[in-house]
Amino acid sequence: MGRMPTLLLVRHGRSTANTEGLLAGWTPGVALDDRGAAQAAALPGRLAELPLAEIVTSPLQRCQETIRPLLEARPGLVPHTDERVGECHYGDWSGRKLAELKDEPLMEVVQAHPSAAAFPGGESMRAMQTRAAEAVREWNARVERDHGADAVYLVCSHGDIIKSLVADALGLHLDLFQRISVEPCSITAIRYTRLRPFLVRLGDTGDFASLAPREEPPAGDATVGGGAGAP
């Protein structure tokens, strides 16, 4: 089938917007909270056995902060910023509380028929998936050209972006992508070949605390933007 590079998709660590229940989008100044900073600090150890050919990141602060410890541990790597793996443009929804948005008529479409969802003043979820998938395919080709077919590279991005890329890799319609969950600072690995991608890790945090029973059971709907992860 012909080998191509392996992509590691890292969702940014838990952010202040995650803990405040806000849909951050491209709102400036959204940083990692204390737990998110600890998650980022643990990332170099989790990836210590893997050679990384390249690191690509969303331009948003929470992603830049997530990869900082990894870059400090690997001073030879220079990060590449790619807006195409930046968060979905939620437009007028950006910065609003998710608790308020759940009653918006559009939220039902986002949950059940996301391929038809377009955020007011923002972008559609189809456009979000298309730009992210195009970015990954271009980076696959670039990494293979510069580092060989067995290379491993990392992209630090956001919950909805990563979920849409997993759906693309599995050949799932975008309307099914809300069935996928990726927690903060989780690692998803996709190995690409000439004929098809293979999902080899999904949302791996090395921590199963999020599966423990909670006082309040998780909501049946997917959290737009990805959620805050385990308490």
Side-chain angles (χ1 to χ4, degrees), residues 124-137:
S124 69
M125 301 198 93
R126 292 190 317 279
M128 172 198 75
Q129 183 186 45
T130 297
R131 64 171 164 86
E134 287 178 349
V136 162
R137 280 163 174 74

Side-chain angles (χ1 to χ4, degrees), residues 15-187:
S15 72
T16 53
N18 292 147
T19 48
E20 292 169 10
L22 300 176
L23 185 61
W26 285 70
T27 304
V30 176
L32 299 183
D33 67 7
D34 289 344
R35 179 170 181 170
Q39 290 170 332
L43 197 57
R46 294 169 63 196
L47 296 173
E49 300 302 316
L50 286 178
L52 295 177
E54 301 282 2
I55 293 181
V56 183
T57 180
S58 157
L60 294 172
Q61 179 179 339
R62 52 199 183 273
C63 287
Q64 302 276 340
E65 291 179 354
T66 297
I67 65 165
R68 189 172 298 151
L70 185 60
L71 293 171
E72 290 172 354
R74 304 194 187 202
L77 283 174
V78 177
H80 305 273
T81 298
D82 192 330
E83 290 196 358
R84 296 173 298 175
V85 298
E87 180 64 285
C88 184
H89 291 276
Y90 297 117
D92 298 344
W93 280 26
S94 299
R96 292 181 61 187
K97 284 199 168 288
L98 289 163
E100 298 173 358
L101 292 170
K102 68 181 178 61
D103 295 324
E104 293 277 355
L106 178 60
M107 183 59 86
E108 186 177 13
V109 182
V110 170
Q111 293 293 330
H113 190 18
S115 65
F119 296 98
E123 70 180 333
S124 69
M125 301 198 93
R126 292 190 317 279
M128 172 198 75
Q129 183 186 45
T130 297
R131 64 171 164 86
E134 287 178 349
V136 162
R137 280 163 174 74
E138 287 182 19
W139 276 106
N140 282 345
R142 177 172 172 175
V143 170
E144 182 182 19
R145 181 196 68 205
D146 294 346
H147 303 283
D150 291 325
V152 179
Y153 75 106
L154 182 150
V155 171
C156 187
S157 189
H158 306 265
D160 280 350
I161 295 289
I162 294 172
K163 288 162 57 177
S164 75
L165 289 170
V166 171
D168 174 75
L170 292 176
L172 292 177
H173 197 283
L174 185 61
D175 286 345
L176 301 178
F177 100 124
Q178 297 290 26
R179 303 182 184 194
I180 300 165
S181 176
V182 290
E183 293 209 355
C185 225
S186 64
I187 299 173

Side-chain angles (χ1 to χ4, degrees), residues 1-9 136-137 140 165-171 188-202:
M1 289 185 292
R3 296 172 299 178
M4 291 182 69
T6 297
L7 166 64
L8 303 181
L9 290 163
V136 162
R137 280 163 174 74
N140 282 345
L165 289 170
V166 171
D168 174 75
L170 292 176
T188 294
I190 302 172
R191 181 169 294 132
Y192 287 85
T193 73
R194 186 172 61 83
L195 296 182
R196 65 180 69 90
F198 292 88
L199 179 66
V200 293
R201 293 286 190 281
L202 175 61

